[in-house]
Amino acid sequence: MPTASYFGRNSFVGIGPETSGYGTAAAEAAVTRPIISCTMLRQIDKVPRPNLRVQGVAGLRASHYLSADRSTGSLELEATYDNVGYYLKAALGAGATSAGTPNTHTYTLGDVPIEGNTLFLQRGTSDNYERFEGVVINSMSCSVAAGEHMTMSFDLIGETSSSSAGSARHDSPSLSFVDPTNENLMLHHHAGTLSYRSQTITLVDFEYSIENNLSERMRLGSLNTKQPTQSDFRNVTMTVSFETDDATYQKFISDESGDAVVTFNNGASSGSEREMKFSLNDAYIETYTDEISESGLILASVTLRAQGDGTSGLALGTSIEVKNEAASSVHAG
């Protein structure tokens, strides 16, 4: 029988920690999220044999071999004040919670990857899902422009996909989406100003990016990677656009540095308040452009780059603080 037709509606992902070791699949997802898009897929590298023999008069090579079996791809989610803490901790490396009304979860830089993660990808309307093992977050970006909602994008590296049934895509045990108690989209009008070097700057768009620079570890004896490790310096940047500003341009020329902070808040009070604050430590303006190409309003595009000047918390380079009702910084955090 052919595979049933897939339709993208109702697609979602689940993710759970591999507590028994990297590449040992989690039994179930700790949190499920609806997706905007996902390209996660097995990439099987197949190489023709290099000898000069051919079969028949057509001159085609007679055989090939497998050189690598990779699982890579991207994932795009809606950014919400609730239920994304698992991804934030996996991307940054550390998370802690302070009780309050609501609770405050602070994510800071720590060793990555913390552990492997199992990603369950439900492709829309089919009963079959794919279970990717040993998944780590290589990069994350959170971005929003005027009139939009914020999105979160991840670059993922995995070990492989498998199932107890032996097929890559299967329906046992069953996988289902669990509707969250709280959700709360992060919307463009929730954004505050950029605070930087005693300035408050009203933004047109915003992007926060962290690059962990993880690399695969291919070796003899296996088609799959070992747990990826950090192979280069990590990078954290904030790229923003705003109506061009001479004072900010001067700070670029003068090579000034300081903390850069942008806070999103839903405007509610008490336990209904939701907030996400992005902070760069000791940031400097890496690039500043405000080209003129028409008669209208001139916008500046600026990239700020974080630096580490301490041993813990924000001083390590960056932090993300989230206020919601979750008891933990992970899972439903």
Side-chain angles (χ1 to χ4, degrees), residues 81-257:
Y81 293 104
D82 305 89
N83 310 306
V84 295
Y86 190 106
Y87 291 93
L88 294 177
K89 184 176 180 181
L92 272 72
T97 298
S98 298
T101 308
N103 298 324
T104 300
H105 314 287
T106 303
Y107 305 90
T108 55
L109 293 181
D111 288 338
V112 287
I114 304 169
E115 58 193 348
N117 303 278
T118 299
L119 186 80
F120 304 82
L121 173 58
Q122 177 70 51
R123 287 178 169 84
T125 55
S126 173
D127 290 333
N128 290 334
Y129 63 90
E130 193 162 1
R131 185 184 71 183
F132 294 94
E133 303 167 5
V135 174
V136 297
I137 296 177
N138 190 31
S139 67
M140 178 188 78
S141 68
C142 302
S143 60
V144 64
E148 300 178 356
H149 62 84
M150 181 177 286
T151 60
M152 306 176 72
S153 299
F154 304 90
D155 176 52
L156 306 174
I157 301 174
E159 180 191 40
T160 188
S161 68
S162 66
S163 73
S164 56
S167 56
R169 298 176 181 175
H170 56 99
D171 60 1
S172 180
S174 61
L175 178 67
S176 59
F177 180 79
V178 179
D179 285 308
T181 303
N182 298 298
E183 189 74 321
N184 296 299
L185 275 174
M186 294 181 63
L187 302 174
H188 72 101
H189 61 269
H190 295 172
T193 55
L194 166 64
S195 173
Y196 180 68
R197 299 292 297 169
S198 301
Q199 290 181 270
T200 54
I201 303 169
T202 300
L203 303 178
V204 175
D205 55 43
F206 165 88
E207 182 177 26
Y208 171 95
S209 298
I210 177 168
E211 298 175 355
N212 288 326
N213 283 319
L214 304 178
S215 291
E216 295 176 327
R217 298 165 62 198
M218 306 304 290
R219 78 282 190 195
L220 297 179
S222 177
L223 291 170
N224 308 125
T225 179
K226 293 180 69 176
Q227 180 171 325
T229 57
Q230 184 183 334
S231 62
D232 202 347
F233 297 106
R234 297 169 82 177
N235 299 306
V236 186
T237 58
M238 192 182 288
T239 300
V240 296
S241 295
F242 52 87
E243 296 175 15
T244 194
D245 181 285
D246 294 342
T248 306
Y249 180 57
Q250 185 58 45
K251 295 183 187 305
F252 169 61
I253 297 297
S254 303
D255 192 28
E256 298 184 25
S257 61

